[in-house]
């Protein structure tokens, strides 16, 4: 169990590092968006590349930030059921969801998007817009993000099994989001 737990904590570290990139992508997108607005409306200059890079950065934010959301246990769940569970029951519900929903979907999406990215990379696919960007960096985000979510899902399973067997301390406190 200790080797698996070390691997799980290693994935936690990777997810944290990926989230730093996601955070920088948010900042870059905001700055580029503001700069694009100033040049477009103030100087009457624009480029499709500036618009497309914002979408790439948004994709970076979502795909590289999602594993940290899972690690922090802040992902979406059915509050009406989950919020009423006590003791180890929430951990069992998490395990069920991770094993039967998250892992199969993330594995499938990783498997489907890897050839999609590879085709973009090999063919040097470009945007159809005048002045647009190459597309493979955006395509790379798909298998990378889905693969990272899959690995973080495995890490969460390992941590929950270790918790249930008394080898790992984790908080099972759940606070329903205020909306």
């Amino acid at each position: 169990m200790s080797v698996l737990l070390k691997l799980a904590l290693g994935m936690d570290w990777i997810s944290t590092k990926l989230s730093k990139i996601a955070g920088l992508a948010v900042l870059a997108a905001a700055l580029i968006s503001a700069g694009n607005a100033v040049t477009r409306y103030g100087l009457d200059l624009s480029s499709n590349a500036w618009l497309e890079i914002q979408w790439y950065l948004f994709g970076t934010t979502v795909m590289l930030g999602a594993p940290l959301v899972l690690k922090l246990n802040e992902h979406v769940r059915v509050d009406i059921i989950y919020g009423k569970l006590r003791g180890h029951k929430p951990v069992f519900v998490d395990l069920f969801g991770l094993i039967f929903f998250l892992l199969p979907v993330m594995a499938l999406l990783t498997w489907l998007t890897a050839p999609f990215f590879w085709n973009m990379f090999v063919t040097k696919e470009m945007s159809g817009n005048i002045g647009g960007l190459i597309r493979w960096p955006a395509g790379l985000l798909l298998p990378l993000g889905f693969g990272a979510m899959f690995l973080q899902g495995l890490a969460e399973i390992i941590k929950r099994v270790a918790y249930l067997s008394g080898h790992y301390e984790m908080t099972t406190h759940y606070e329903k989001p205020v909306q």
Side-chain angles (χ1 to χ4, degrees):
M1 180 57 78
S2 65
V3 172
L4 289 176
L5 205 47
K6 285 180 183 177
L7 288 172
L9 296 175
M11 188 59 214
D12 286 353
W13 180 83
I14 291 170
S15 291
T16 302
K17 295 303 178 191
L18 290 174
S19 74
K20 301 289 184 199
I21 297 169
L24 291 173
V26 170
L27 177 61
L31 293 173
I32 289 169
S33 179
N36 192 33
V38 168
T39 58
R40 174 176 272 181
Y41 298 111
L43 304 173
D44 200 27
L45 296 172
S46 185
S47 168
N48 285 327
W50 290 113
L51 298 173
E52 289 182 13
I53 195 69
Q54 291 173 65
W55 283 104
Y56 286 23
L57 291 168
F58 176 71
T60 302
T61 301
V62 172
M63 298 307 289
L64 300 186
L68 183 70
V69 173
L70 183 61
K71 173 193 174 289
L72 296 175
N73 206 25
E74 294 292 329
H75 52 285
V76 176
R77 53 173 55 95
V78 182
D79 292 330
I80 197 165
I81 298 168
Y82 195 86
K84 295 180 182 182
L85 299 175
R86 300 289 176 251
H88 290 310
K89 289 178 187 170
V91 178
F92 287 113
V93 169
D94 285 344
L95 282 170
F96 179 81
L98 290 165
I99 293 168
F100 294 106
F101 293 105
L102 183 93
L103 289 187
V105 170
M106 292 301 111
L108 177 65
L109 290 172
T110 304
W111 182 70
L112 291 174
T113 59
F116 175 73
F117 151 70
W118 187 248
N119 184 53
M120 292 173 112
F121 181 74
V122 169
T123 62
K124 298 175 177 47
E125 185 176 329
M126 295 290 294
S127 168
N129 297 319
I130 296 172
L133 301 173
I134 56 171
R135 286 201 171 156
W136 71 260
L140 174 61
L141 290 170
L142 296 170
L144 182 64
F146 292 133
M149 276 295 285
F150 179 86
L151 293 174
Q152 188 61 49
L154 283 177
E156 295 307 312
I157 291 169
I158 292 167
K159 289 188 289 188
R160 280 162 177 75
V161 169
Y163 169 76
L164 290 172
S165 65
H167 294 94
Y168 181 72
E169 280 297 315
M170 63 182 270
T171 179
T172 58
H173 173 71
Y174 174 71
E175 189 172 318
K176 183 177 177 181
V178 179
Q179 298 190 14

